[in-house]
């Protein structure tokens, strides 16, 4: 791998600022360069991105959109206690059928967690990241959290460590975070105005006292922003999660974006509110709606600039295992782990990941060749397409078996992932669920095409009737290469008058109403 680092900034925030810019160029196909491909290759290096930072992000599925096609992560549920209450959260400790943050099937001790990491990493060699994200807050459970990291560091030193926190106790544990080699920290920051925050957080528990209202929000926000600045100065990469709540903080999140960027954040992940009444949250029971797909994308687009926006988040459970979008937690219950008899083989894991990198190289080369055909295109047309995939950056999922569709925006500069749409399975137990098809079509109604490995006659006909082109000619090919080839043909058809380009309608975001039984 060709990695260069011509200069290093002594100031942590300055380093993060340069890293953000380089990361944006590297991980997006909208950069400049030969064929517009400066950002498409995971191996092209900007002089402003140090080799140290590149090593941290190159195979982290949350910090790198490109890596999430190839690498897996897991969360261990060792942190049940939380020190704040959010109106969008209702923690559950024995729940198997909901897919959202704060939910787990079973709580673990640090020792059980370390054993689970070995079992998963032995079974899933592309696992590169262990995160602690709940079901409460890791830093409200510091003894269990840092004991887990300590154990994993000893038995699986090749795995990156990560934690996700509300930030209230962050300043108290910066040294412990650094000592445990936790190089990635996610902080959920939903507001920088206490008046906005008071509508999201009913209370916090700080210094042995419960605070409520504006006072609670003010303390939390101050601690979050201070903690972010300190971590950035220590060279720890920080991702900011923000929940988009229409009518409460949606417009305000533009200001949040500016503030966290100024404080050294590396990535910003604006997520849709999940507010189904059956989840039992305050917002869900009060009828607070989540954003539409268009509202979410519009806000993310307005915030994207020097700091990279994360667009591939799955809002994972606190015990998620596997590739993003392919949760395998059911394979690794405490009972099943005891029967696995796993053996941790670092060299075998390295060999497997080397093969993964070869696939990434091939994908980049294929995309570069395809993008060259758009080099002279000055057309301003942009379209969205949906993709059914099981991972590896391939179009390798049957329409009827898709639990989600990844959404790509295609333009003259290439293909860029802009989100995902969870859907209910169209085919279950070998039979099509015809009543689900209209809901699936509504979920991708803003897309001009849907790329699949295979599709049956009935859904194909209904998609065409809805104005969405089903595309199965690129089965098992790379997503970006195939999407760009289709887009080039689409532009040619528009140019010759064979078809007329029309803007698609609004999609119906189905996330809040879907309960995954996987």
């Amino acid at each position: 791998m060709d990695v260069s680092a011509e200069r290093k900034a002594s100031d942590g925030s300055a380093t993060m600022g340069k890293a953000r810019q380089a990361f944006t160029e590297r991980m997006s196909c909208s950069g400049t360069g030969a064929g517009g491909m400066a950002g498409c290759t995971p191996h092209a290096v900007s002089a402003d991105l140090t080799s140290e930072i590149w090593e941290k992000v190159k195979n982290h599925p949350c910090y790198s959109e490109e890596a999430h096609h190839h690498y897996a992560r897991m969360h261990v549920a060792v942190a049940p206690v939380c020190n704040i209450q959010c109106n969008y959260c209702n923690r559950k400790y024995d729940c198997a059928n909901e897919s959202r943050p704060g939910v787990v099937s079973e709580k673990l001790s640090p020792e059980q967690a370390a054993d689970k990491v070995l079992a998963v990493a032995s079974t899933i060699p592309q696992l590169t990241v262990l995160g602690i994200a709940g079901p409460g807050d890791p830093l409200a459970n510091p003894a269990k959290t840092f004991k887990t990291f300590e154990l994993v560091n000893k038995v699986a030193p090749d795995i990156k460590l990560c934690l996700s926190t509300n930030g209230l106790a962050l300043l108290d544990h910066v040294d412990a975070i650094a000592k445990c080699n936790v190089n990635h920290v996610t902080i959920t920051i939903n507001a920088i105005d206490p008046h906005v925050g008071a509508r999201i957080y009913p209370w916090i528990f700080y210094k042995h006292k419960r605070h409520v209202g504006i006072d609670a929000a003010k303390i939390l926000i101050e601690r979050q922003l201070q903690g972010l600045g300190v971590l950035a100065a220590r060279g720890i990469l920080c991702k900011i999660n923000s929940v988009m709540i229409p009518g409460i903080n949606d417009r305000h999140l533009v200001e949040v974006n500016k503030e966290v960027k100024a404080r050294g954040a590396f990535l910003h992940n604006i997520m849709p509110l999940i507010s189904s009444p059956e989840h039992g949250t305050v917002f869900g029971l009060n009828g607070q709606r989540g954003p539409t797909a268009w509202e979410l994308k519009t806000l993310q687009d307005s915030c994207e600039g020097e700091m990279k926006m994360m667009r591939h988040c799955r809002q994972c459970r606190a015990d998620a295992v596997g590739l993003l979008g392919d949760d395998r937690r059911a394979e690794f219950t405490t009972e099943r782990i005891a029967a696995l008899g796993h053996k941790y083989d670092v060299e075998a894991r390295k060999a497997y990941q080397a093969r993964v990198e070869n696939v990434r190289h091939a994908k980049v080369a294929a995309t570069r060749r395809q993008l060259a055909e758009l080099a002279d295109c000055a057309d301003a047309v942009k379209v969205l397409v949906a993709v059914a995939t099981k991972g590896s950056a391939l179009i390798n999922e049957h329409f009827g078996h898709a639990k989600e569709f990844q959404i790509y925006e295609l333009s003259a500069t290439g293909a860029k992932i802009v989100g995902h749409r969870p859907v209910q399975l169209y085919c279950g137990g070998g039979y099509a669920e015809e009543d689900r098809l209209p809901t699936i079509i509504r979920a991708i109604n803003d897309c001009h095409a849907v790329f699949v490995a295979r599709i049956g006659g009935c859904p194909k006909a209904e998609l065409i009737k809805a104005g969405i082109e089903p595309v199965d000619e690129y089965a098992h090919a790379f997503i970006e290469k195939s999407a760009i080839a289709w887009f080039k043909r689409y532009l040619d058809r528009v140019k010759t008058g064979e078809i007329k380009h029309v803007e698609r309608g609004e999609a119906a975001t189905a996330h809040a109403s879907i309960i995954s039984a996987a």
Side-chain angles (χ1 to χ4, degrees):
M1 184 181 299
D2 177 21
V3 178
S4 64
E6 294 182 3
R7 59 180 182 273
K8 295 183 179 180
S10 58
D11 177 77
S13 295
T15 300
M16 290 299 103
K18 292 179 179 180
R20 285 194 306 269
Q21 183 175 7
F23 180 78
T24 299
E25 295 170 356
R26 180 199 296 269
M27 303 311 290
S28 167
C29 286
S30 60
T32 57
M37 276 301 301
C40 281
T41 170
H43 309 288
V45 178
S46 164
D48 287 329
L49 187 62
T50 67
S51 58
E52 179 185 4
I53 291 175
W54 174 233
E55 286 299 316
K56 292 176 183 178
V57 303
K58 68 176 184 180
N59 60 359
H60 195 306
C62 300
Y63 281 67
S64 163
E65 182 277 317
E66 202 276 335
H68 100 278
H69 294 291
H70 307 281
Y71 291 103
R73 64 24 181 149
M74 67 177 292
H75 296 164
V76 289
V78 298
V81 176
C82 198
N83 48 7
I84 73 171
Q85 179 61 54
C86 306
N87 282 332
Y88 53 74
C89 182
N90 180 26
R91 296 184 300 282
K92 294 183 181 179
Y93 306 127
D94 57 355
C95 178
N97 65 345
E98 291 182 19
S99 184
R100 60 183 177 86
V103 172
V104 298
S105 295
E106 55 183 353
K107 293 179 285 186
L108 303 177
S109 69
E111 291 75 18
Q112 288 173 319
D115 195 44
K116 183 174 182 177
V117 171
L118 288 179
V120 173
S122 299
T123 308
I124 306 177
Q126 67 268 45
L127 178 83
T128 53
V129 175
L130 163 69
I132 300 179
D137 189 274
L139 300 182
N141 304 259
K144 293 179 179 179
T145 293
F146 293 116
K147 180 63 175 178
T148 302
F149 286 146
E150 178 187 338
L151 292 173
V152 173
N153 265 326
K154 290 179 180 178
V155 298
D158 61 318
I159 291 179
K160 291 178 168 65
L161 303 180
C162 207
L163 69 82
S164 181
T165 176
N166 58 51
L168 181 60
L170 187 52
L171 284 170
D172 303 327
H173 300 289
V174 172
D175 288 340
I177 289 170
K179 183 179 179 181
C180 286
N181 297 317
V182 177
N183 289 315
H184 306 80
V185 173
T186 295
I187 312 170
T188 299
I189 302 178
N190 296 310
I192 57 172
D193 181 342
H195 291 86
V196 177
R199 301 177 65 186
I200 302 171
Y201 312 108
W203 57 260
I204 68 169
F205 192 78
Y206 177 63
K207 290 189 174 180
H208 310 290
K209 179 182 177 182
R210 178 173 292 209
H211 300 260
V212 299
I214 292 176
D215 177 52
K218 183 178 180 182
I219 294 170
L220 177 61
I221 291 166
E222 287 178 352
R223 300 275 295 176
Q224 289 172 332
L225 295 178
Q226 289 171 11
L228 167 59
V230 172
L231 287 180
R234 296 281 287 264
I236 295 170
L237 299 188
C238 295
K239 174 169 67 73
I240 304 303
N241 281 355
S242 299
V243 179
M244 181 182 178
I245 311 165
I248 293 180
N249 73 342
D250 45 352
R251 296 183 180 182
H252 178 60
L253 285 178
V254 175
E255 299 305 314
V256 173
N257 176 265
K258 293 176 182 177
E259 184 64 28
V260 298
K261 180 171 69 173
R263 301 243 179 184
F266 189 68
L267 281 175
H268 194 187
N269 174 29
I270 297 179
M271 310 173 292
L273 172 70
I274 300 174
S275 58
S276 293
E278 58 265 32
H279 294 157
T281 66
V282 171
F283 282 150
L285 296 174
N286 289 348
Q288 170 64 51
R289 73 174 181 89
T292 66
W294 180 85
E295 288 171 332
L296 178 64
K297 182 178 182 299
T298 299
L299 177 59
Q300 291 171 331
D301 287 348
S302 69
C303 290
E304 191 162 42
E306 183 182 336
M307 180 164 55
K308 179 74 174 177
M309 299 297 296
M310 182 181 181
R311 307 277 192 136
H312 59 283
C313 177
R314 300 306 196 275
Q315 294 175 272
C316 304
R317 290 168 54 106
D319 58 0
V321 173
L323 294 169
L324 271 64
D326 182 24
D327 196 350
R328 296 175 59 180
R329 68 182 185 278
E331 299 175 35
F332 299 100
T333 62
T334 302
E335 212 172 278
R336 291 189 176 187
I337 288 172
L340 278 178
H342 49 274
K343 180 183 178 182
Y344 194 74
D345 189 335
V346 174
E347 293 307 314
R349 282 172 46 78
K350 287 180 179 178
Y352 186 94
Q353 291 174 25
R355 293 194 293 273
V356 170
E357 287 303 306
N358 289 335
V359 172
R360 292 177 77 180
H361 274 290
K363 174 208 163 192
V364 167
T367 304
R368 180 184 292 114
R369 289 192 296 270
Q370 199 64 55
L371 255 179
E373 297 188 16
L374 288 176
D376 298 326
C377 178
D379 204 307
V381 169
K382 292 183 179 181
V383 302
L384 298 182
V385 298
V387 180
T389 177
K390 293 188 286 189
S392 299
L394 299 173
I395 302 166
N396 55 3
E397 183 63 284
H398 191 294
F399 178 86
H401 300 161
K403 298 177 184 177
E404 68 169 27
F405 292 96
Q406 294 189 7
I407 308 300
Y408 281 78
E409 182 178 76
L410 309 182
S411 69
T413 57
K416 178 177 74 171
I417 192 167
V418 294
H420 77 289
R421 310 277 171 79
V423 295
Q424 290 181 301
L425 282 175
Y426 175 62
C427 294
Y431 298 94
E433 301 284 350
E434 300 296 345
D435 59 330
R436 294 180 178 178
L437 188 54
T439 302
I440 296 170
I441 291 175
R442 285 197 299 271
I444 59 172
N445 190 52
D446 53 349
C447 296
H448 281 72
V450 56
F451 290 72
V452 296
R454 291 184 63 189
I455 185 169
C458 177
K460 179 181 286 190
E462 291 301 311
L463 284 163
I464 292 172
K465 189 185 299 184
I468 303 171
E469 180 183 348
V471 181
D472 57 5
E473 64 187 271
Y474 301 107
H476 303 285
F478 288 121
I479 294 171
E480 291 180 15
K481 170 184 177 292
S482 304
I484 293 167
W486 175 88
F487 183 62
K488 175 66 165 57
R489 189 177 66 190
Y490 177 86
L491 292 179
D492 290 343
R493 292 161 67 196
V494 171
K495 188 175 181 180
T496 61
E498 179 183 345
I499 61 173
K500 183 179 179 180
H501 173 69
V502 294
E503 297 294 333
R504 296 288 301 165
E506 173 70 88
T509 305
H511 198 307
S513 62
I514 291 177
I515 300 177
S516 172

